[in-house]
Amino acid sequence: MKTTAVYFSPTGNTKKSVEAMAQALDAEFQTVDLTAPQRKDGEEVPVQMRFSGADFVIFGMPVYGGRLPALAAERLSGIRGEQTPCVLVVTYGNRHYDDALVELQDLCEAQGFVVKGAAALVGRHTYGEIQVDRPDAADLEADVEFVRRAASGDGLYAMIPGNRPYQKQPMGKGQFAPLTSDACTGCGLCRKSCPAGAIGPDFQVDAEKCISCFRCIRICPAGAKNMDTEAYRSFAQMFTQKLAARRENEYFL
């Protein structure tokens, strides 16, 4: 069985979990990373792929405000199946995944995939200091057990939680746009890697395009990207306290 991991993962949580699952099924698994846009002549080039019934695909998406990120869902639209078995994974920062998992189910089924299992997994939240060590070893071990059962089973019997119609609008832009300090060396890594194309030639962040994934903060080698504002610090402290209680992963087979 040829296995492919398809994911949108700005800070690596989703990638880590989905690739651990794919590795458990196929040591030679392939990846399709939808995170950073592929561009030609300044325009984004959509990913176009088609899978057969002999393939197995693991889809991984983060949860932003209870939905899939709008641009991530759009990039997924070019991936098609032909009654291709799949597993769905959403990762979230310890609050809740709301309607994101049923949204992913609807998208994948409409594009020709057959869902054999679904999971809602906790990872480090973008904001504050929330579940900073997750996914941990126990999480990944449970992920592997789940995907093996899903791949060997004959279908999805559990009801995936969520609302139809979805209760929230997909998030177009984020609440916080990172700043750029004088430490910036102009290396261009942030601009090249930004999922939303929100960083300009001057390496400043366009708040109207930014999805607040904080990828640029995590990867900046000079530590120039930051959220060093009182408004963010206050929010992050409040959010850290609010989401302090550990949530457990949920698996549906």
Side-chain angles (χ1 to χ4, degrees):
M1 178 175 58
K2 181 181 175 182
T3 302
T4 302
V6 178
Y7 53 77
F8 180 89
S9 184
T11 56
N13 283 339
T14 306
K15 175 183 178 179
K16 186 174 183 179
S17 296
V18 170
E19 288 193 347
M21 292 185 189
Q23 177 70 41
L25 298 181
D26 181 358
E28 298 181 352
F29 73 92
Q30 297 181 344
T31 63
V32 178
D33 188 350
L34 302 176
T35 312
Q38 304 299 313
R39 298 187 180 277
K40 182 178 181 180
D41 299 327
E43 297 294 326
E44 182 171 343
V45 179
V47 174
Q48 300 288 338
M49 295 190 71
R50 184 171 290 275
F51 294 94
S52 75
D55 293 306
F56 192 89
V57 180
I58 304 173
F59 290 100
M61 292 275 160
V63 179
Y64 285 12
R67 294 285 301 275
L68 303 181
L71 62 84
E74 183 178 344
R75 287 179 191 160
L76 194 62
S77 65
I79 297 177
R80 301 282 172 171
E82 296 176 356
Q83 292 297 294
T84 307
C86 74
V87 159
L88 312 177
V89 176
V90 297
T91 60
Y92 68 104
N94 207 51
R95 186 192 66 81
H96 204 280
Y97 53 94
D98 297 319
D99 299 335
L101 197 52
V102 293
E103 182 182 8
L104 185 56
Q105 179 185 18
D106 292 344
L107 284 172
C108 292
E109 289 181 343
Q111 290 166 206
F113 293 90
V114 177
V115 178
K116 298 191 70 177
L121 309 179
V122 177
R124 178 181 180 179
H125 201 288
T126 299
Y127 303 152
E129 297 294 316
I130 302 165
Q131 299 297 303
V132 295
D133 296 324
R134 298 183 73 188
D136 57 25
D139 290 327
L140 296 176
E141 183 178 347
D143 294 345
V144 165
E145 179 183 356
F146 154 74
V147 80
R148 285 174 172 159
R149 291 178 61 195
S152 62
D154 57 2
L156 175 70
Y157 293 94
M159 181 70 69
I160 295 177
N163 300 288
R164 296 184 179 93
Y166 315 132
Q167 297 299 296
K168 298 179 180 180
Q169 292 297 313
M171 192 189 75
K173 68 174 186 176
Q175 185 174 356
F176 299 102
L179 307 176
T180 307
S181 75
D182 292 340
C184 177
T185 64
C187 73
L189 180 61
C190 62
R191 189 175 185 221
K192 179 181 179 181
S193 302
C194 178
I199 300 176
D202 59 356
F203 307 112
Q204 301 300 312
V205 178
D206 183 342
E208 293 303 309
K209 294 181 179 179
C210 178
I211 61 172
S212 299
C213 70
F214 289 7
R215 187 180 203 185
C216 58
I217 294 177
R218 301 278 179 86
I219 68 174
C220 179
K225 287 289 187 289
N226 68 88
M227 272 311 312
D228 190 17
T229 69
E230 182 57 38
Y232 174 73
R233 286 192 295 268
S234 296
F235 177 86
Q237 182 179 20
M238 177 276 294
F239 215 46
T240 298
Q241 294 173 350
K242 182 178 180 180
L243 302 183
R246 176 186 173 104
R247 289 180 64 96
E248 297 302 331
N249 300 327
E250 297 179 45
Y251 302 99
F252 305 96
L253 291 167

